[in-house]
Amino acid sequence: MKINEVEVSGFKGISNLVIRPKQINIIVGKNNTGKTSILEAIHCTLGVDIFKMQRKYYPHVANLININKKESKVLVKLEDKNYYLLLTRPELKEILPEFKKELLNKLKSIAPKTTDKSESWKKAEKILDKILSKDELLSELENESIRIESSGKKLNLFSYTQLILKEIEPLLDYVDKEIFQERFGRGMLSSLFTIRFPHFVHNKKEENPLSIINNLALEESLILSQSKSKINKIQNYLQDRKILKNLERFDFDKLLFKQEGKEYEIPYSFMGDGFKSLVGLISRTSEENKIVLIEEPETRMHPAYMREVICQIINFSKINNMQFFVTTHSSDLLDIILTDTLEPKYAEYLSKELNVIRLDYLGGDIIAQELNMEEAKEELEELKIDLRGK
Amino acid sequence: MKRIILSEGKNDTIFLKELLTIKTLIEESKILFFDQNSQDKESNLKFLQDRYFEKLQSEWLLYELLVKSEGGKTKIINVTAAKLCYLCEQGRDPIILIDLDSGQIKCFIDELEAKLTNRFKGANLSIKSEELLKINEAIMWSSKLYKNSKFIGIIYVIGFYTTLEQVLKIDKVRDTDEQKKSKAKTYIRNSRIHEMFLKALA
């Protein structure tokens, strides 16, 4: 599983951008030059979870379409298959009946059981029709709605903005206040309308090609699911690479150390964030053929651990055929990759498989410069230029 | 507008310093000089180039012109490619001074264009180059850069047909810096080379 090309058009701040990734892609650039947008574009297009995107940008999902463009288009070309994502702004007449139906269904789902349903909802519908004749609301609905198309499926998403929520408040008279308060609370009205469309695109039967790692450190649920063999693997790695001095035994509960014949334990939870991030990455060794998106792995990490993370990334890429997209602001990370301090086997792999993608503005648009290992090294060492852009 | 001149070597900066001051194209105190070759490569000079670009950029420093010598034509091309976004977005319109070594200026421009279009593959970059001025010992071209047909910046290229040293009659090995300066002054007073820089700096 490897992405050979990504074309992004009209997605967030990106007007038009083409990148031709290699196995290890380091994305650099100033703030707001689109580093995260590239990861998100890949993330959305490979169809994992539009729902997460909706939650992240709610209630402004429609703003995913670049302000100067009519639509967002992302094309991700894999070795054997192309995936696309198309975001458009639907016309009001196309979405109004669907919005009305969806809203009524949502309200019905929390209606009191005792109410005379048919009579009550006829009234509610009349009120809704009246609400939906207001120009301000209609304009907001049109501006904040978006159509998502991917893998041959289409879906309209409505954002329940503050204005829309305020306008539909009279309809709350038709819902069960107790259920409503209990389940959502008045202050969380928007959450009622946000939670929907899980896994719109991703077909669960297919293998999910993506592995998204926003935070390298493992979450509690993942820690609990780690097998004994995985834990042993982590322990061996930590001991072989001498990550922790005097480490006798590693576990997610406690770490056992032995010094001058005396044993002592330190709870895993007491370990630093950098260490946990490294462990988190090591624990993912069993994954194969994945495309991994990592945001700023350097966060709260000492350069020495950063070096280990880099070595792990190279190992996974080489042995497990994993493709990495890593955003960074860290000059330490770039130094580790590009200066001559990496083991020759790692440096040799990077000389073929490293792609430094530098994002910047040119002619008012975000553009990408792609540098191979040799070019990036030359800029850093010979020309003494900051690869991250200035 | 703050500007940048990219040249090949130390002799170029000696020549440019004399040219810019004799012809009062720009006040000496407002020129910042950078010679890549004279920097100690082993010392802690990380991002040194960027520090000079930042100095030029600074609102608190009064520099109007950054004169750089890169250590050869290839490095001029590489620096231009690496800093193209900065140069265009800040309207620096760089001036490149090179020796043609009896070659064609078009060859250098073709190489520069190839590097830029290759580096910015997905950016739909196009470049239109044309001759602007000719004098006995040098030629000047301009390369206008377009992204999606929108003008984004211009690069001026001034090339001595032979070499700067031949034109100035400098002996690279024997002449001291003072002798080089004196020869540069003589040449500048008797040539039309300043017209090219006047045009580019206008």
Side-chain angles (χ1 to χ4, degrees):
Chain A
M1 188 82 67
K2 187 190 168 194
I3 297 175
N4 286 333
E5 190 171 296
V6 182
E7 287 179 31
V8 185
S9 163
F11 186 82
K12 292 179 75 183
I14 300 173
S15 292
N16 286 295
L17 193 80
V18 180
I19 55 168
R20 294 169 186 88
K22 293 185 183 173
Q23 283 294 99
I24 297 178
N25 302 281
I26 307 292
I27 306 173
V28 294
K30 288 175 274 191
N31 289 112
N32 298 316
T33 48
K35 297 186 294 301
T36 304
S37 300
I38 288 183
L39 299 194
E40 286 173 343
I42 295 170
H43 187 182
C44 283
T45 308
L46 293 186
V48 179
D49 210 342
I50 293 293
F51 165 62
K52 273 189 184 166
M53 291 295 291
Q54 194 200 11
R55 258 204 317 202
K56 185 172 177 184
Y57 295 105
Y58 187 88
H60 302 295
V61 194
N63 289 80
L64 286 175
I65 300 175
N66 184 289
I67 197 160
N68 298 316
K69 298 273 182 177
K70 284 184 178 169
E71 59 183 30
S72 280
K73 229 187 222 173
V74 184
L75 182 62
V76 178
K77 296 180 184 173
L78 271 69
E79 282 162 322
D80 55 347
K81 196 176 175 184
N82 292 348
Y83 289 79
Y84 77 96
L85 173 77
L86 179 65
L87 306 177
T88 50
R89 296 188 178 96
E91 282 183 33
L92 187 63
K93 62 181 179 192
E94 295 172 296
I95 51 173
L96 203 53
E98 195 182 328
F99 173 77
K100 187 179 162 185
K101 192 177 164 190
E102 179 189 301
L103 180 56
L104 281 171
N105 284 341
K106 278 182 182 298
L107 296 171
K108 281 177 185 173
S109 73
I110 51 170
K113 286 172 188 164
T114 50
T115 321
D116 175 352
K117 287 175 189 168
S118 56
E119 276 307 303
S120 176
W121 288 111
K122 270 181 193 167
K123 282 183 198 167
E125 209 171 330
K126 274 186 185 169
I127 295 172
L128 183 55
D129 284 338
K130 207 173 169 187
I131 292 169
L132 291 178
S133 66
K134 294 184 178 178
D135 288 345
E136 201 182 0
L137 181 132
L138 293 176
S139 156
E140 180 93 341
L141 183 63
E142 188 172 31
N143 291 336
E144 299 296 343
S145 297
I146 191 167
R147 176 168 296 157
I148 300 173
E149 190 180 332
S150 185
S151 307
K153 297 174 190 172
K154 287 181 187 175
L155 172 79
N156 291 330
L157 281 183
F158 311 112
S159 286
Y160 292 81
T161 62
Q162 287 303 315
L163 190 143
I164 295 173
L165 290 173
K166 194 171 179 300
E167 291 292 342
I168 62 174
E169 262 187 10
L171 291 168
L172 295 179
D173 291 340
Y174 294 86
V175 304
D176 186 316
K177 295 283 187 318
E178 270 183 34
I179 297 175
F180 181 76
Q181 292 291 350
E182 184 193 330
R183 285 171 60 182
F184 306 106
R186 202 167 178 81
M188 290 176 67
L189 184 60
S190 61
S191 67
L192 169 64
F193 300 105
T194 318
I195 301 163
R196 50 175 305 205
F197 307 122
H199 303 293
F200 156 63
V201 179
H202 175 52
N203 181 350
K204 283 180 182 173
K205 284 178 190 167
E206 286 176 17
E207 193 202 355
N208 178 359
L210 273 183
S211 182
I212 312 295
I213 309 177
N214 284 328
N215 181 5
L216 283 176
L218 296 176
E219 292 165 12
E220 190 67 27
S221 57
L222 281 174
I223 285 178
L224 293 172
S225 67
Q226 298 297 307
S227 65
K228 189 70 197 161
S229 67
K230 183 73 75 63
I231 292 170
N232 284 340
K233 206 179 260 183
I234 296 169
Q235 178 179 300
N236 291 341
Y237 181 90
L238 295 172
Q239 287 171 332
D240 290 349
R241 305 283 300 183
K242 297 182 176 62
I243 304 293
L244 292 176
K245 214 176 166 187
N246 305 321
L247 179 72
E248 278 287 302
R249 197 175 66 236
F250 171 84
D251 205 334
F252 282 106
D253 178 28
K254 284 176 180 171
L255 286 79
L256 178 72
F257 295 87
K258 194 172 184 181
Q259 192 176 14
E260 294 166 3
K262 285 182 185 173
E263 289 185 345
Y264 62 94
E265 290 179 329
I266 298 177
Y268 179 75
S269 57
F270 282 31
M271 301 303 288
D273 291 333
F275 176 76
K276 286 176 184 168
S277 297
L278 180 58
V279 168
L281 187 64
I282 301 164
S283 74
R284 289 166 163 103
T285 47
S286 61
E287 294 178 4
E288 285 183 352
N289 296 316
K290 293 271 185 177
I291 294 157
V292 186
L293 313 176
I294 305 178
E295 277 227 71
E296 299 177 17
E298 67 269 18
T299 312
R300 290 175 284 188
M301 196 176 281
H302 186 273
Y305 279 2
M306 200 63 249
R307 178 180 297 274
E308 291 299 327
V309 166
I310 297 295
C311 293
Q312 275 306 299
I313 286 175
I314 299 170
N315 268 332
F316 292 172
S317 173
K318 200 174 169 184
I319 298 162
N320 296 359
N321 192 30
M322 290 163 81
Q323 187 179 30
F324 286 86
F325 292 80
V326 182
T327 66
T328 187
H329 284 295
S330 167
S331 72
D332 284 333
L333 188 149
L334 293 166
D335 279 351
I336 291 165
I337 289 176
L338 297 170
T339 51
D340 299 324
T341 53
L342 274 183
E343 278 181 51
K345 63 175 181 181
Y346 295 136
E348 194 190 332
Y349 184 74
L350 287 177
S351 69
K352 290 176 197 147
E353 291 301 342
L354 176 71
N355 189 28
V356 176
I357 302 166
R358 178 169 54 214
L359 300 175
D360 207 335
Y361 281 92
L362 185 63
D365 294 327
I366 294 170
I367 54 100
Q369 289 183 71
E370 291 178 88
L371 291 87
N372 61 28
M373 172 93 163
E374 194 189 339
E375 290 168 328
K377 236 171 132 68
E378 188 194 23
E379 282 204 8
L380 186 72
E381 292 182 340
E382 293 286 319
L383 304 180
K384 295 183 168 54
I385 285 174
D386 189 343
L387 276 170
R388 300 167 299 173
K390 283 261 178 175
Chain B
M1 185 59 78
K2 298 186 177 199
R3 302 290 298 278
I4 292 175
I5 301 177
L6 306 168
S7 65
E8 289 193 59
K10 190 184 163 196
N11 291 338
D12 294 282
T13 50
I14 292 174
F15 162 71
L16 286 166
K17 191 171 185 177
E18 294 306 316
L19 174 76
L20 295 165
T21 49
I22 291 172
K23 295 290 179 183
T24 55
L25 297 179
I26 213 155
E27 215 176 287
E28 195 179 342
S29 64
K30 292 182 179 174
I31 307 172
L32 177 63
F33 289 93
F34 169 86
D35 180 9
Q36 178 79 286
N37 276 349
S38 70
Q39 307 298 333
D40 178 7
K41 287 181 180 170
E42 293 303 313
S43 64
N44 183 20
L45 295 168
K46 203 173 177 184
F47 312 147
L48 183 71
Q49 291 256 14
D50 295 294
R51 289 180 201 174
Y52 276 80
F53 284 111
E54 280 164 14
K55 275 187 186 179
L56 179 69
Q57 186 89 351
S58 167
E59 288 177 22
W60 313 109
L61 301 171
L62 297 172
Y63 297 118
E64 289 293 326
L65 178 69
L66 171 60
V67 176
K68 299 177 78 234
S69 67
E70 310 292 356
K73 285 195 269 285
T74 307
K75 284 193 176 170
I76 291 178
I77 290 173
N78 290 343
V79 168
T80 307
K83 301 300 291 184
L84 189 73
C85 293
Y86 163 83
L87 295 169
C88 288
E89 289 294 300
Q90 300 298 330
R92 295 286 173 256
D93 297 350
I95 302 160
I96 293 173
L97 177 65
I98 50 166
D99 294 337
L100 297 175
D101 303 302
S102 303
Q104 298 288 316
I105 194 166
K106 187 76 173 61
C107 294
F108 175 83
I109 287 172
D110 286 347
E111 208 179 320
L112 177 67
E113 285 185 12
K115 180 81 182 185
L116 296 181
T117 45
N118 183 51
R119 177 66 70 86
F120 297 90
K121 270 189 207 118
N124 201 14
L125 197 69
S126 58
I127 301 166
K128 283 180 191 160
S129 299
E130 61 175 351
E131 185 184 309
L132 288 185
L133 194 60
K134 247 182 192 173
I135 57 171
N136 286 339
E137 60 285 350
I139 185 166
M140 176 186 191
W141 276 53
S142 72
S143 291
K144 288 180 181 166
L145 283 78
Y146 299 85
K147 186 183 172 294
N148 296 324
S149 309
K150 181 183 155 194
F151 175 75
I152 54 167
I154 185 166
I155 298 171
Y156 296 97
V157 182
I158 297 170
F160 287 110
Y161 290 122
T162 54
T163 66
L164 172 88
E165 286 76 12
Q166 274 182 272
V167 170
L168 266 58
K169 299 185 177 66
I170 282 176
D171 186 319
K172 272 188 184 179
V173 186
R174 291 189 192 137
D175 280 352
T176 63
D177 283 357
E178 282 310 309
Q179 286 169 316
K180 288 174 187 170
K181 275 183 200 171
S182 167
K183 288 180 177 177
K185 274 179 194 165
T186 309
Y187 165 69
I188 290 160
R189 285 196 186 104
N190 298 308
S191 86
R192 292 172 55 210
I193 189 75
H194 64 283
E195 288 176 25
M196 291 183 165
F197 285 87
L198 259 178
K199 200 173 180 70
L201 289 168

